[in-house]
Amino acid sequence: MTVREGSLEAPTRHPLDWKSADFYDQARLDKELERVFDICHGCRRCVNLCTAFPTLFDLVDGSPTLEVDGVAKQDYDKVVDQCYLCDMCYMTKCPYVPPHAWNVDFPHLMLRAKAVKFRKGGAKFRDKLLSSTDAMGRLATIPVVVQFVNAANKAGVVRGLMEKTLGVHKDRILPEYASTKFRGSAQADASFAVRDGKNTPGKVAVFSTCYVNYNEPGIGHDLLKLLAHNAVPATLVEKEACCGMPKLELGDLEAVARNKDVNIPVLARLAREGYAILTPVPSCTLMFKQELPLMFPGEPDVKAVADAMFDPFEYLVLRHKDGLLKTDFKRPLGKVSYHVPCHLRVQNMGQKTRELLEMIPDTRVTTIERCAGHDGTWGVKAEYFESSMKIGRPVFRQMAEPGPDYVSSDCAIAGRHILQGMGETSAQKQHPLTLIRIAYGL
């Protein structure tokens, strides 16, 4: 029987069998890694996406057999460590993803390998610390402590010590912590009449995310202003924990499950009450839309939340299609260099942020669809900082070429990474939600 070269069907994904003993069996994992690596070696389409594939191909090309069977099994971890689960190989490059018979899901295979490594105690203290976003945020935003943390993150001597002791690269510009958390200061307005559209529920619940709550609350405040300007009644999710993406990337799937048990009951109730649930960080949206449903495929509450979950610009553009979005923009933005984050691209909803930005008069949007190379915590780490800057170099150049007035990305961390990579520039870094707020004149 012959196997067709490539697949013409839309990619589909199998649930993660992460609770089974076979999932964590090292011999079974190594066999699957060898099978998939051999397919990747024979294809090599993904060589320019990240450093995971060049690492694999260098291992193969340097092996005695020039094939995957010549690569030492202990070297497989070198490939796994380079993968930060951006999902781009699965969604944009690989012709062998399911339903193709070869059933290649490279990111979820890397996730399995990370989970096996984590269960064996292979995670560093630094990695556990960086992925504990709620705990770090609560500690760092204590009054007085927050000023000390922010000052320390900018001090050369302290950053040198951080690199030596924690492995956080001294040159990585880190986000500041906010002195006032979003959830403690947000003014959500639920007073408007509910106007359901054909494509959108007429009321919104905002899941703030760790990053917006502790680091850039202004993004959340701007989202609430946009909803109020468009007379959409909004509320905050009454209780939330980290979405689980940082722990997923670490391979700590039990921690993902614990956070899910906090979030899903609250979110499912809101979903069943007819709320659209908006998260202003693409990775968090993706977690609820894709990763949790694949980890917990039989749970109706998880599915209800996934069905109610929207990216903010997905929601706003659909409101426009429903004839319910105001386009009374008062201020042009000039030239905007806009970067589409990987975790937004793989949601397969089109470029909704670009669509809305292009509605603003006298605004020229240059859109860059390429991985910037930071990922959540990957680009912070000393051993990956240089790689993250190398991966991002084409993005930095393309973002700078138009001489923009604004540099913007739906992923606030990617935006900061891009601005650092661009070097000296007169462009302002602003989140797309902030740009829309500016254009409305709010």
Side-chain angles (χ1 to χ4, degrees):
M1 184 178 104
T2 60
V3 176
R4 185 176 65 210
E5 176 66 20
S7 182
L8 299 177
E9 293 88 357
T12 185
R13 272 202 146 128
H14 301 306
L16 280 170
D17 191 24
W18 67 280
K19 294 183 179 180
S20 75
D22 288 349
F23 187 85
Y24 299 94
D25 184 271
Q26 186 67 55
R28 289 175 182 269
L29 171 62
D30 286 343
K31 184 178 179 180
E32 181 64 3
L33 285 167
E34 183 173 4
R35 183 188 76 85
V36 171
F37 285 173
D38 190 53
I39 293 170
C40 295
H41 160 53
C43 175
R44 301 205 173 199
R45 283 185 63 176
C46 292
V47 67
N48 67 334
L49 283 184
C50 64
T51 49
F53 294 99
T55 298
L56 169 61
F57 303 148
D58 285 348
L59 287 170
V60 173
D61 294 343
S63 73
T65 65
L66 299 179
E67 299 289 349
V68 173
D69 62 9
V71 177
K73 296 290 190 292
Q74 60 265 30
D75 284 341
Y76 287 179
D77 275 352
K78 295 178 180 178
V79 181
V80 175
D81 289 343
Q82 294 294 323
C83 177
Y84 41 83
L85 303 180
C86 74
D87 241 21
M88 292 311 300
C89 58
Y90 187 95
M91 287 295 181
T92 69
K93 286 280 189 178
C94 182
Y96 306 119
V97 298
H100 192 277
W102 288 357
N103 189 31
V104 174
D105 187 339
F106 191 91
H108 278 177
L109 179 58
M110 297 300 100
L111 173 59
R112 179 183 175 187
K114 292 174 187 288
V116 170
K117 182 178 180 179
F118 183 86
R119 181 165 281 196
K120 290 181 176 180
K124 298 178 181 178
F125 170 76
R126 172 206 59 191
D127 301 337
K128 294 178 181 179
L129 182 68
L130 290 176
S131 62
S132 300
T133 51
D134 271 327
M136 286 185 64
R138 284 193 294 267
L139 176 62
T141 54
I142 294 173
V144 181
V145 173
V146 66
Q147 286 85 2
F148 172 78
V149 170
N150 289 334
N153 283 341
K154 295 177 182 177
V157 174
V158 176
R159 292 300 301 275
L161 286 171
M162 285 175 65
E163 181 167 331
K164 290 179 181 178
T165 57
L166 284 178
V168 174
H169 199 282
K170 61 184 177 60
D171 294 330
R172 169 60 69 200
I173 297 175
L174 299 173
E176 290 191 355
Y177 283 96
S179 56
T180 303
K181 294 188 284 291
F182 171 72
R183 287 181 59 81
S185 59
Q187 299 288 323
D189 190 343
S191 65
F192 305 103
V194 175
R195 294 180 298 165
D196 292 327
K198 180 181 177 181
N199 300 288
T200 52
K203 55 185 179 180
V204 162
V206 174
F207 183 94
S208 66
T209 76
C210 301
Y211 186 84
V212 168
N213 192 34
Y214 298 118
N215 298 104
E216 290 196 48
I219 296 172
H221 293 306
D222 286 342
L223 174 57
L224 292 178
K225 288 176 182 177
L226 300 187
L227 293 170
H229 183 68
N230 284 282
V232 177
T235 186
L236 293 188
V237 174
E238 64 190 56
K239 179 182 179 182
E240 66 178 74
C242 174
C243 70
M245 183 63 81
K247 293 298 185 183
L248 184 86
E249 293 172 343
L250 183 61
D252 185 358
L253 302 186
E254 295 292 346
V256 173
R258 289 193 295 272
N259 285 6
K260 166 254 180 190
D261 287 342
V262 173
N263 288 321
I264 291 297
V266 179
L267 295 174
R269 177 180 55 78
L270 290 165
R272 292 196 169 97
E273 290 175 0
Y275 284 88
I277 304 170
L278 273 57
T279 66
V281 174
S283 295
C284 304
T285 315
L286 183 69
M287 192 71 193
F288 289 110
K289 278 187 176 182
Q290 173 179 287
E291 302 300 347
L292 288 179
L294 289 171
M295 286 183 66
F296 304 95
E299 298 194 15
D301 280 1
V302 172
K303 185 180 187 307
V305 172
D307 291 342
M309 188 68 56
F310 289 83
D311 169 81
F313 282 91
E314 177 187 19
Y315 180 81
L316 294 172
V317 170
L318 288 173
R319 290 298 276 181
H320 182 256
K321 290 182 179 178
D322 287 336
L324 296 170
L325 186 79
K326 293 181 180 178
T327 56
D328 56 336
F329 300 111
K330 296 177 174 61
R331 179 176 166 183
L333 298 176
K335 291 185 284 187
V336 177
S337 284
Y338 165 61
H339 166 256
V340 191
C342 296
H343 281 175
L344 188 61
R345 290 174 67 188
V346 300
Q347 291 178 43
N348 290 325
M349 62 183 188
Q351 295 183 3
K352 297 298 186 282
T353 304
R354 175 189 59 78
E355 287 183 42
L356 191 49
L357 287 171
E358 288 181 342
M359 293 181 197
I360 302 167
D362 300 318
T363 298
R364 177 185 162 196
V365 182
T366 300
T367 303
I368 311 300
E369 283 191 282
R370 186 173 179 133
C371 182
H374 189 287
D375 183 58
T377 61
W378 192 80
V380 167
K381 299 171 184 177
E383 63 268 37
Y384 305 128
F385 173 76
E386 294 298 337
S387 292
S388 75
M389 300 304 286
K390 180 179 179 180
I391 293 168
R393 204 170 295 146
V395 177
F396 308 152
R397 175 179 55 78
Q398 292 173 55
M399 294 284 279
E401 276 177 355
D405 299 296
Y406 294 102
V407 170
S408 192
S409 176
D410 302 89
C411 175
I413 294 174
R416 179 175 283 100
H417 170 62
I418 290 166
L419 197 68
Q420 178 174 356
M422 287 171 62
E424 188 174 342
T425 177
S426 61
Q428 295 183 53
K429 180 188 76 68
Q430 294 287 7
H431 192 275
L433 290 169
T434 303
L435 293 181
I436 301 299
R437 189 263 301 161
I438 291 170
Y440 273 137
L442 302 175

